[in-house]
Amino acid sequence: GRLVIQADETGEAHQLKFDEGALWRELGITGDDGEILDTAQLQSAQDAVFKIEGLTIARSSNKIDDVIEGVTFTLQGEGETVIDIKRDEAAVLDAVRKFVEQYNSTMSFIQSRSSDGGVLQGDTLLMRIAFQLRSDITARVDGAGLAYNQLAAVGISIDRHGTMTLNEAKLREALADDPEAVQKLFAATQDADGFDGVTARLESRFQAWLQAGDGLLAARQKMFGDRMKAIDDSIEQMERRLEIREQNLMRQFIALEEVMAAFQTQAMWLEGQINQLNLMTAASAQRRR
């Protein structure tokens, strides 16, 4: 068998190093100076060195993903090649379709909850969210000189019923005409481009809605929680009052039973007295005859 030792990572910075112990010398891996022997080394640690547009670049791995933005390529060996970068139009169209579907799904959810019969019928917060969402979608993007500064210009529109639709032919036309402008319309950010595209604008809006503690939805949730607690407290107080009332009624009932029992005893005594009086009266009348 043969002992093979290799580093966990590639690149010149990860060259294997051995101490000057006798074990490595006896195994024929290092010499007296502690350096790896050429006869023991199958492959020395090296960086991948290549040129792009005349610029020499070195990387520790053959997989390169930080030279051309959004592009990853793998070095296979020595030689020259031409990198032909094309836009993946199918992926762009699919992403926009999903965006449209998600918008319609969200608006449908809001409508089902806030319309007649919904659990939040007439809730002003939901109506406000729907209005702001639609406004952010349809508003212009403030990019100076941007060829396409509104979703309607690239085939995305909202009808009078609030449903978003996609004209794919118009989107393809915009992508062919100025793909960078379309990209910025959706994905521009204040830090990188000096203005926010549609997705950054929506993200900012969602953060304001969903922020824990003082976000719009958190505040509404707290309001409902406070109301529920107030109702629970009111129910608890009412239950205590009912319990006290029940106890009072029970005492009155017991007292009434005692009075009724005493009254019944008195009535029986009185009835006996009346009967006795009647007998005495009848006997007296007979003697007079």
Side-chain angles (χ1 to χ4, degrees), residues 215-229:
L216 196 62
L217 293 178
R220 179 55 62 92
Q221 187 177 29
K222 182 179 182 302
M223 183 192 74
F224 282 131
D226 291 343
R227 284 184 181 177
M228 290 175 63
K229 185 178 184 304

Side-chain angles (χ1 to χ4, degrees), residues 146-274:
L146 198 62
Y148 300 101
N149 62 358
Q150 202 169 12
L151 290 183
V154 297
I156 300 173
S157 59
I158 299 176
D159 63 24
R160 62 188 182 88
H161 301 294
T163 302
M164 180 181 287
T165 57
L166 170 63
N167 184 331
E168 293 192 9
K170 195 170 184 179
L171 178 57
R172 285 193 179 94
E173 182 180 335
L175 287 170
D177 175 56
D178 194 340
E180 184 177 357
V182 176
Q183 187 270 337
K184 288 184 180 296
L185 171 63
F186 281 96
T189 62
Q190 191 69 40
D191 292 339
D193 306 288
F195 63 94
D196 283 337
V198 173
T199 55
R201 190 159 57 194
L202 290 175
E203 182 179 5
S204 177
R205 183 72 69 187
F206 289 147
Q207 286 177 351
W209 289 340
L210 302 174
Q211 184 175 352
D214 57 354
L216 196 62
L217 293 178
R220 179 55 62 92
Q221 187 177 29
K222 182 179 182 302
M223 183 192 74
F224 282 131
D226 291 343
R227 284 184 181 177
M228 290 175 63
K229 185 178 184 304
I231 292 172
D232 288 341
D233 291 344
S234 178
I235 292 173
E236 185 178 348
Q237 292 174 3
M238 185 176 294
E239 287 177 343
R240 284 200 298 268
R241 288 197 296 269
L242 288 173
E243 184 179 353
I244 293 172
R245 178 61 175 162
E246 182 185 18
Q247 292 172 354
N248 289 335
L249 289 174
M250 183 61 69
R251 284 194 294 268
Q252 291 174 4
F253 178 76
I254 293 172
L256 181 61
E257 280 192 325
E258 292 174 350
V259 170
M260 291 293 292
F263 178 76
Q264 188 174 10
T265 300
Q266 291 294 324
M268 291 174 63
W269 179 85
L270 183 60
E271 184 180 2
Q273 293 297 316
I274 291 172

Side-chain angles (χ1 to χ4, degrees), residues 7-289:
D8 291 333
E9 299 181 61
T10 59
E12 187 174 346
H14 300 100
Q15 171 71 47
L16 289 172
K17 297 184 183 299
F18 297 88
D19 59 33
E20 297 182 4
L23 174 63
W24 305 117
R25 291 197 302 272
E26 292 175 3
L27 291 173
I29 294 176
T30 63
D32 293 335
D33 58 0
E35 295 296 323
I36 300 175
L37 298 173
D38 291 340
T39 55
Q41 185 164 251
L42 300 177
Q43 175 66 54
S44 62
Q46 300 178 31
D47 286 338
V49 180
F50 57 98
K51 287 185 178 182
I52 293 182
E53 296 291 330
L55 177 65
T56 301
I57 302 171
R59 291 291 184 270
S60 61
S61 171
N62 287 341
K63 185 177 181 180
I64 313 299
D65 59 6
D66 60 349
V67 175
I68 303 174
E69 184 178 358
V71 177
T72 299
F73 55 90
T74 302
L75 302 175
Q76 302 290 352
E78 294 184 2
E80 295 183 358
T81 189
V82 176
I83 300 176
D84 186 14
I85 301 174
K86 294 182 179 179
R87 182 179 63 255
D88 190 348
E89 186 174 288
V92 174
L93 287 170
D94 185 57
V96 175
R97 287 191 203 102
K98 290 179 180 178
F99 172 79
V100 172
E101 290 172 2
Q102 186 59 57
Y103 173 85
N104 288 332
S105 175
T106 300
M107 296 301 282
S108 177
F109 175 82
I110 292 175
Q111 179 68 18
S112 68
R113 296 301 188 274
S114 60
S115 59
D116 291 345
V119 293
L120 294 172
Q121 178 180 341
D123 186 86
T124 56
L125 176 61
L126 283 182
M127 291 187 284
R128 177 182 171 187
I129 287 175
F131 174 79
Q132 289 183 336
L133 188 58
R134 181 169 180 170
S135 296
D136 288 339
I137 290 289
T138 56
R140 295 179 183 275
V141 171
D142 297 327
L146 198 62
Y148 300 101
N149 62 358
Q150 202 169 12
L151 290 183
V154 297
I156 300 173
S157 59
I158 299 176
D159 63 24
R160 62 188 182 88
H161 301 294
T163 302
M164 180 181 287
T165 57
L166 170 63
N167 184 331
E168 293 192 9
K170 195 170 184 179
L171 178 57
R172 285 193 179 94
E173 182 180 335
L175 287 170
D177 175 56
D178 194 340
E180 184 177 357
V182 176
Q183 187 270 337
K184 288 184 180 296
L185 171 63
F186 281 96
T189 62
Q190 191 69 40
D191 292 339
D193 306 288
F195 63 94
D196 283 337
V198 173
T199 55
R201 190 159 57 194
L202 290 175
E203 182 179 5
S204 177
R205 183 72 69 187
F206 289 147
Q207 286 177 351
W209 289 340
L210 302 174
Q211 184 175 352
D214 57 354
L216 196 62
L217 293 178
R220 179 55 62 92
Q221 187 177 29
K222 182 179 182 302
M223 183 192 74
F224 282 131
D226 291 343
R227 284 184 181 177
M228 290 175 63
K229 185 178 184 304
I231 292 172
D232 288 341
D233 291 344
S234 178
I235 292 173
E236 185 178 348
Q237 292 174 3
M238 185 176 294
E239 287 177 343
R240 284 200 298 268
R241 288 197 296 269
L242 288 173
E243 184 179 353
I244 293 172
R245 178 61 175 162
E246 182 185 18
Q247 292 172 354
N248 289 335
L249 289 174
M250 183 61 69
R251 284 194 294 268
Q252 291 174 4
F253 178 76
I254 293 172
L256 181 61
E257 280 192 325
E258 292 174 350
V259 170
M260 291 293 292
F263 178 76
Q264 188 174 10
T265 300
Q266 291 294 324
M268 291 174 63
W269 179 85
L270 183 60
E271 184 180 2
Q273 293 297 316
I274 291 172
N275 289 336
Q276 186 176 1
L277 180 60
N278 288 336
L279 290 173
M280 292 174 63
T281 302
S284 176
Q286 288 179 356
R287 283 197 298 271
R288 282 198 298 270
R289 289 178 188 167

